Amino acid sequence: MGKRVALVLAGCGVFDGSEIHEASAALVHLSRGGAEVKIFAPNIEQRDVVNHLKGSPAEEKRNVLVESARLARGNIQDLAELKASEFDAVIFPGGFGVAKNLCSWAVDGKDCTVNEHVNSTLQAFHGAKKPIGLCCISPVLAAKVFPGCEITVGQDKNVDGRFPDAETASAIAELGCKHICKNVNESHVDKTNKIVTTCAFMCKAPLHEIFDGIGTMVQEVLKLA
């Protein structure tokens, strides 16, 4: 019997929601691993809406759950309804929506607040000793909720210009967590906390390398489950 995995989205689109390629990669690898997946998102208004063609703010309002339903092909539930007891693991793809909608990292950095349902979901899985998978910017959720955990967002220096957001690693360290430097096709497993992270689009890399890195994260999550 396959593992039951909850996937939590933050909207649809890299600049104001979930990164579509990361969400799709996670779903493909979960499918390949024989997992039964259910998708969730918080029923809240997005912090902002970005015109992805122009890269500029759009004067409109959108709902995170409604937008996430695009990625879920309509088969999605309110995050408030997620029960950790019904799943073996939870995974959060990245995208600016994580830092804008699931928490306020995009505005407040390490002083951010985490959405109440995101926080309770993370706490529930962690308390039940069930694995949590995070990629791209979403590891900052673990850094904020679980001080002392080990995570990766890639490198702590902008190696060859491939890691333009390397300063995120310093902010993670300031929160009392240990940042582990990893390449884009790798993931890190915090065995104590059962947290698995990979940098994905925090690295400027070919799509297939990002896809492979997310695959290692998913595989490790399924092993821990």
Side-chain angles (χ1 to χ4, degrees), residues 129-182:
K129 300 189 184 324
K130 294 180 178 181
I132 299 167
L134 306 132
C135 65
C136 195
I137 192 62
S138 65
V140 301
L141 296 172
K144 190 67 181 180
V145 178
F146 307 119
C149 68
E150 296 180 358
I151 55 178
T152 188
V153 289
Q155 300 289 324
D156 56 10
K157 294 181 179 62
N158 190 9
V159 182
D160 298 327
R162 282 163 43 97
F163 294 89
D165 301 305
E167 71 276 1
T168 304
S170 299
I172 286 168
E174 289 178 28
L175 285 169
C177 299
K178 186 175 182 179
H179 180 265
I180 309 297
C181 291
K182 290 285 183 178

Side-chain angles (χ1 to χ4, degrees), residues 148-223:
C149 68
E150 296 180 358
I151 55 178
T152 188
V153 289
Q155 300 289 324
D156 56 10
K157 294 181 179 62
N158 190 9
V159 182
D160 298 327
R162 282 163 43 97
F163 294 89
D165 301 305
E167 71 276 1
T168 304
S170 299
I172 286 168
E174 289 178 28
L175 285 169
C177 299
K178 186 175 182 179
H179 180 265
I180 309 297
C181 291
K182 290 285 183 178
N183 291 322
V184 66
N185 59 348
E186 300 176 314
S187 57
H188 176 70
V189 182
D190 178 344
K191 294 181 180 178
T192 301
N193 291 292
K194 289 194 172 182
I195 295 172
V196 188
T197 51
T198 189
C199 70
F201 278 100
M202 293 293 276
C203 176
K204 290 185 175 180
L207 183 58
H208 71 277
E209 292 183 12
I210 291 164
F211 184 91
D212 291 345
I214 293 171
T216 68
M217 181 267 285
V218 170
Q219 290 166 15
E220 293 297 340
V221 165
L222 294 178
K223 284 180 190 175

Side-chain angles (χ1 to χ4, degrees), residues 3-155:
K3 301 298 182 181
R4 300 163 299 171
V5 180
L7 187 82
V8 180
L9 298 179
C12 182
V14 59
F15 298 126
D16 57 16
S18 287
E19 211 297 319
I20 293 171
H21 297 295
E22 292 179 11
S24 180
L27 287 166
V28 169
H29 287 296
L30 285 166
S31 176
R32 184 170 286 141
E36 176 188 342
V37 182
K38 289 191 177 180
I39 305 175
F40 298 83
N43 186 10
I44 57 174
E45 187 176 294
Q46 290 184 188
R47 179 176 289 273
D48 63 12
V49 177
V50 176
N51 180 321
H52 279 57
L53 178 62
K54 297 180 179 178
S56 58
E59 294 300 320
E60 60 180 285
K61 297 188 181 301
R62 296 191 183 188
N63 177 279
V64 174
L65 179 59
V66 172
E67 292 303 297
S68 297
R70 295 173 180 271
L71 276 169
R73 297 172 61 86
N75 189 9
I76 194 168
Q77 292 175 258
D78 188 335
L79 182 60
E81 299 172 4
L82 193 162
K83 295 182 176 67
S85 59
E86 297 178 355
F87 295 91
D88 300 302
V90 64
I91 288 177
F92 289 76
F96 276 98
V98 172
K100 292 179 176 181
N101 305 325
L102 303 192
C103 71
S104 63
W105 187 278
V107 176
D108 303 318
K110 63 183 178 61
D111 298 318
C112 72
T113 56
V114 178
N115 171 273
E116 61 174 317
H117 295 303
V118 173
N119 183 70
S120 62
T121 295
L122 290 167
Q123 295 281 11
F125 277 86
H126 186 260
K129 300 189 184 324
K130 294 180 178 181
I132 299 167
L134 306 132
C135 65
C136 195
I137 192 62
S138 65
V140 301
L141 296 172
K144 190 67 181 180
V145 178
F146 307 119
C149 68
E150 296 180 358
I151 55 178
T152 188
V153 289
Q155 300 289 324

